[in-house]
């Protein structure tokens, strides 16, 4: 059986980069896999989160996923903290993973920066919790972006070491799913920086909660250069903003970059931006409308998450019982 697990942090708004880079692919995977999608609130608190914002963000991210096409009836959608098996298995993995392995994690080095001594223990152990997320369900496939590949490698190492140490084959080796058209969306203000929820400029990103007017304004203000659009990929060299807008156009219209270039060759940015706005509004508008409806009803979202968590626990509980027995923990 092929089982997908993936997680998204409830910190800040979902934006176009999340949608084109990840969520859209999660939606497509529902055709071929049994999918478990998790709003990872326990990962979020590795850096301080204001409680009311964490609550609102968890609901908003869940609403965004449903609005974008995740089906919480056919698949499983829940927030991490509602299944204690994640934290339970993460503790076991804290005892399997070696300090040397975690010391190599580039994301920790980046996030902790110069203030390593002051980073939370949770931020350091973050990859062990991520391994637990995946392996508590024996997930076989994990859609991840470039930035999470190293963490997935670590999950594979942990699975292997557990199996070796205890002479078992409980855990599968989860495979990364690198999806063909996953687009790396860059900031609208700087084509060399990834679109990010932590960018201080709100004009740098298009949020899934943006109205048509917001989208139009942000695309109008997007940084460009004075040249018209080129006809082929060679002409994008040294023009990161042009490249980004063309790639967004291609992703939103489901065509290749070359086809997007062919369709827009020689256009001035003013004209291209109008078309890109119409395209973005046509794709994001319906998601936005659905999301507004969903976020206005907390009880519906909370109910979806609670039911999802119950189904998640039904899968992880027998796996955890097996893990505990393997370790030698006494249980009735
Ligand atoms: N660390 C991932 C991120 O920040 C989120 C995540 C948590 C995840 N657990 C996961 C992704 C398990 C894939 C599988 O993007």
């Amino acid at each position: 059986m092929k089982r997908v697990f993936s997680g998204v942090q409830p910190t800040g708004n979902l934006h176009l980069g999340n949608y084109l880079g990840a969520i859209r692919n999660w939606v497509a995977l529902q055709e071929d896999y049994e999918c478990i999608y998790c709003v990872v609130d326990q990962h979020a608190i590795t850096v301080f989160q204001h409680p009311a914002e964490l609550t609102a963000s968890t609901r908003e991210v869940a609403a965004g996923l449903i609005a974008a096409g995740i089906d919480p009836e056919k698949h499983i959608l829940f927030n991490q903290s509602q299944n204690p098996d994640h934290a339970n298995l993460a503790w076991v993995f804290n005892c399997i993973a070696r300090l040397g392995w975690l010391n190599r994690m580039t994301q920790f080095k980046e996030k902790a920066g110069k203030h390593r001594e002051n980073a939370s223990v949770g931020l350091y152990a973050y990859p062990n919790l991520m391994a637990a997320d995946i392996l508590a369900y024996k997930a076989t496939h994990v859609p991840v972006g470039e930035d999470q590949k190293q963490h997935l490698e670590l999950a594979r190492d942990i699975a292997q070491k557990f199996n070796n140490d205890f002479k078992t084959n409980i855990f599968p080796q989860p495979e990364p799913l690198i999806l063909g058209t996953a687009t790396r969306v860059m900031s609208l203000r700087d084509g060399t920086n990834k679109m990010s929820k932590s960018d201080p400029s709100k004009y740098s990103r298009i949020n899934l909660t943006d109205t048509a007017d917001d989208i139009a304004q942000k695309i109008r203000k997007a940084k460009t250069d004075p040249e018209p659009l080129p006809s082929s990929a060679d002409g994008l060299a040294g023009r990161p903003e042009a490249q980004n807008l063309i790639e967004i156009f291609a992703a939103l219209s489901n065509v290749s970059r070359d086809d997007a270039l062919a369709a827009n060759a020689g256009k001035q940015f003013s004209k291209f931006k109008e078309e890109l706005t119409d395209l973005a509004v046509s794709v994001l508008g319906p998601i936005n409308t659905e999301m507004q409806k969903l976020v206005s009803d907390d009880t519906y979202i909370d109910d979806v998450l609670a039911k999802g968590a119950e189904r998640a626990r039904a899968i992880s509980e027998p796996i955890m019982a097996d893990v505990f027995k393997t370790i030698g923990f006494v249980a009735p």
Side-chain angles (χ1 to χ4, degrees), residues 51-219:
E53 281 169 20
L54 180 64
T55 307
S57 255
T58 301
R59 290 180 177 139
E60 192 181 299
V61 166
L65 293 176
I66 298 168
I70 300 295
D71 182 343
E73 302 285 327
K74 287 210 188 97
H75 298 271
I76 295 180
L77 173 65
F78 72 109
N79 57 312
Q80 192 179 28
S81 58
Q82 290 206 65
N83 181 357
D85 287 339
H86 295 245
N88 233 341
L89 187 58
W91 177 259
V92 173
F93 289 170
N94 284 344
C95 304
I96 298 288
R98 308 289 91 182
L99 284 175
W101 299 1
L102 290 175
N103 285 338
R104 285 195 286 275
M105 295 296 113
T106 55
Q107 185 169 296
F108 175 76
K109 289 185 212 169
E110 277 163 25
K111 284 200 184 170
K114 290 195 191 69
H115 310 291
R116 204 186 133 116
E117 297 293 311
N118 207 22
S120 74
V121 175
L123 189 67
Y124 186 71
Y126 180 114
N128 294 346
L129 178 59
M130 182 163 154
D133 296 341
I134 299 162
L135 294 168
Y137 305 98
K138 298 190 182 182
T140 54
H141 293 82
V142 182
V144 281
E146 206 49 51
D147 63 329
Q148 296 298 315
K149 263 202 213 150
Q150 194 187 30
H151 289 163
L152 186 59
E153 277 300 317
L154 187 90
R156 292 165 61 90
D157 291 344
I158 289 174
Q160 191 172 33
K161 181 160 162 56
F162 185 96
N163 287 352
N164 284 345
D165 286 357
F166 293 102
K167 314 256 172 305
T168 164
N169 56 7
I170 288 188
F171 292 122
Q173 285 276 294
E175 300 284 338
L177 275 178
I178 311 288
L179 296 143
T181 50
T183 307
R184 192 151 186 256
V185 179
M186 312 304 277
S187 158
L188 298 179
R189 304 298 307 158
D190 174 358
T192 61
N193 259 334
K194 209 171 136 180
M195 185 176 283
S196 157
K197 54 192 163 200
S198 52
D199 193 314
S201 166
K202 67 173 189 166
Y203 291 107
S204 70
R205 68 189 156 262
I206 293 173
N207 293 317
L208 294 191
T209 47
D210 283 347
T211 62
D213 284 346
D214 296 331
I215 294 173
Q217 198 188 23
K218 288 177 181 181
I219 292 179

Side-chain angles (χ1 to χ4, degrees), residues 240-262:
E241 285 80 21
Q243 175 170 342
N244 187 35
L245 294 183
I246 275 289
E247 283 177 358
I248 292 173
F249 184 97
L252 287 172
S253 50
N254 274 316
V255 302
S256 68
R257 186 170 75 173
D258 285 346
D259 286 349
L261 279 164

